[in-house]
Amino acid sequence: MKMHNFSAGPSILPPEVLQKASEAVLNFNNSGLSLIEISHRDPSFVEIMNSARDLALELLNLQGKGYSALFLQGGASLEFVRVANNLLKVNGKAGYINTGTWANNAQNEASFLGNVVEIASSKDKNYTYIPKDIIIPNDLDYLHITSNNTIYGTQFKDFPETNVPLACDMSSDIFSRNLDFLKFDLIYACAQKNAGTSGVNLIVVKNELLDKTNRSIPNIMNYKKHIERESMYNTPSVFSVYVSYLTMKWLKDLGGIAAAERRNNAKANLMYSEIDRNSLFYGTAAVEDRSVMNATFFLKDESMTTAFDELCLQEGIYGLKGHRTAGGYRASMYNALPMTSVQKLVKVMQGFEADLL
Ligand SMILES: Cc1ncc(COP(=O)(O)O)c(C=O)c1O
């Protein structure tokens, strides 16, 4: 039986992607070779890399609009450092909006390289909301935002209007909803939620933004160098790039981001209506800021935890535990999670309530 996989990341992938990825490991394109034992310079892999980069821009509707896409290693945590290396001028200033652990980490990492100011924060209420009416100074080299707060389950619905370049960590909601992506000057995401599996990051950057700092940047940190080398400056994470390619192709065939968004909204509506209805549970994220990707919730009576956890396991529900720093539960409902999994979880929650009342 396939488990209902609510893991926050690495997370569920479409069955077709798992099937094709495993076939490629055994016999890539009927070549008699495994995908993970050929050179990354082999034309068949170069084609995958180029198609993956094109597909990322196509899905975001940014093709031919002055942006480049890259697939690099190091996890989103490395991008925290790479973004600052490429955008923060020596003696310049970067602004960060602190909406959770990852946003806070991004801010801390950038501060190793220069002047970083916290423009707004929701730390005062344990990151349960998204700050509103944020005033953005216009002397920033860039403003950094984390669009979806994976751990606490909040999400920006609107983005602050600003003239300064906008850099966004979309690790946990990329490809999940239609936005005007032209508003962003730099988007990055670790792949292990909506864009494939761990081991690779997608970076989409406006070309004209680069090479504007007077900082000397080590090559491995330099987006311009990676663009010049077409994401092959050093050995790419071949398997992870292939899984990203397959995942994006799956999304395109599904109908692109618009189709994913419809499915995601339906799943989130069902999930949150059960959290609000069920007398045993409660959610903590501000209702207007609730994440469509990660629904966080708690048991009112924590002594019921073991019983609920055991029931979930018995019913084939995996990965529902909240982040170790936040506690409670978190239902991650990424693009590949089918509606039937949310229906199952809702049924289990209803059954748990009915048995106890
Ligand atoms: C929004 C966000 N940013 C950054 C990260 C860190 O990613 P990584 O572990 O790939 O460095 C995560 C991980 O879950 C995340 O959810």
Side-chain angles (χ1 to χ4, degrees):
M1 189 194 94
K2 178 95 176 127
M3 298 284 279
H4 297 281
N5 186 354
F6 290 89
S7 173
S11 48
I12 186 165
L13 285 163
E16 302 90 311
V17 170
L18 294 176
Q19 181 66 37
K20 285 185 184 145
S22 52
E23 283 164 11
V25 169
L26 294 172
N27 184 6
F28 180 47
N29 282 350
N30 278 324
S31 61
L33 292 161
S34 168
L35 168 73
I36 53 174
E37 60 178 16
I38 59 170
S39 167
H40 58 289
R41 308 272 174 208
D42 187 288
S44 60
F45 181 74
V46 173
E47 195 188 318
I48 298 289
M49 175 62 99
N50 290 339
S51 305
R53 294 174 63 207
D54 287 347
L55 209 44
L57 293 177
E58 186 186 331
L59 287 168
L60 298 170
N61 203 14
L62 290 176
Q63 232 167 5
K65 294 180 180 160
Y67 287 78
S68 297
L70 296 168
F71 284 93
L72 305 179
Q73 300 183 49
S77 301
L78 188 73
E79 253 31 82
F80 297 163
V81 185
R82 214 150 16 200
V83 165
N85 258 289
N86 285 269
L87 304 188
L88 181 54
K89 294 187 177 114
V90 175
N91 300 322
K93 187 162 71 171
Y96 277 70
I97 300 184
N98 180 6
T99 49
T101 307
W102 300 116
N104 195 42
N105 286 2
Q107 183 173 324
N108 288 342
E109 292 298 311
S111 68
F112 283 99
L113 289 166
N115 189 8
V116 166
V117 283
E118 190 171 272
I119 302 296
S121 169
S122 52
K123 200 172 179 185
D124 58 336
K125 290 191 182 156
N126 201 26
Y127 296 126
T128 50
Y129 71 103
I130 296 291
K132 312 286 180 327
D133 302 322
I134 306 168
I135 297 169
I136 319 284
N138 51 23
D139 61 345
L140 301 174
D141 293 339
Y142 66 95
L143 174 71
H144 183 279
I145 285 192
T146 307
S147 54
N148 185 66
N149 177 11
T150 327
I151 295 178
Y152 295 91
T154 60
Q155 186 176 34
F156 276 89
K157 305 296 170 186
D158 301 302
F159 291 85
E161 289 299 329
T162 172
N163 293 327
V164 307
L166 192 56
C168 188
D169 176 359
M170 285 195 194
S171 288
S172 50
D173 65 354
I174 193 154
F175 300 142
S176 70
R177 56 176 171 162
N178 250 333
L179 296 170
D180 178 5
F181 294 102
L182 280 168
K183 275 193 169 179
F184 301 91
D185 297 85
L186 191 154
I187 295 167
Y188 65 92
C190 53
Q192 61 263 27
K193 294 137 194 327
N194 268 342
T197 190
S198 61
V200 77
N201 301 330
L202 167 63
I203 300 102
V204 172
V205 59
K206 204 185 248 179
N207 299 321
E208 65 175 31
L209 193 67
L210 300 175
D211 226 4
K212 295 275 165 64
T213 66
N214 36 358
R215 183 185 295 285
S216 51
I217 310 170
N219 286 333
I220 197 77
M221 292 302 211
N222 192 335
Y223 288 132
K224 192 144 186 268
K225 177 64 70 181
H226 288 291
I227 293 167
E228 281 163 14
R229 299 292 181 87
E230 300 181 328
S231 231
M232 293 272 201
Y233 167 74
N234 66 329
T235 313
S237 181
V238 170
F239 181 72
S240 303
V241 172
Y242 188 59
V243 175
S244 281
Y245 165 73
L246 293 175
T247 306
M248 291 187 294
K249 232 170 138 278
W250 168 84
L251 178 58
K252 187 180 168 180
D253 292 345
L254 188 78
I257 292 180
E261 182 172 21
R262 282 192 294 278
R263 283 164 46 121
N264 292 334
N265 284 339
K267 287 183 285 179
N269 285 340
L270 178 60
M271 188 66 230
Y272 284 116
S273 47
E274 180 57 19
I275 292 170
D276 292 341
R277 188 211 59 80
N278 197 306
S279 59
L280 303 181
F281 296 94
Y282 68 101
T284 47
V287 171
E288 70 276 17
D289 301 324
R290 281 173 163 176
S291 166
V292 172
M293 292 284 97
N294 313 95
T296 48
F297 56 102
F298 292 79
L299 269 168
K300 288 179 185 162
D301 177 355
E302 284 191 359
S303 71
M304 293 177 179
T305 303
T306 308
F308 185 62
D309 291 353
E310 278 172 5
L311 180 64
C312 285
L313 193 65
Q314 208 179 306
E315 296 290 338
I317 288 169
Y318 171 81
L320 206 62
K321 257 218 158 346
H323 189 268
R324 62 187 186 286
T325 57
Y329 295 99
R330 170 174 52 171
S332 296
M333 301 172 287
Y334 298 124
N335 285 352
L337 186 86
M339 179 56 136
T340 45
S341 288
V342 180
Q343 286 164 341
K344 174 72 182 184
L345 174 57
V346 164
K347 230 173 138 197
V348 168
M349 289 166 75
Q350 287 170 350
F352 188 61
E353 182 191 39
D355 280 353
L356 285 164
L357 299 183

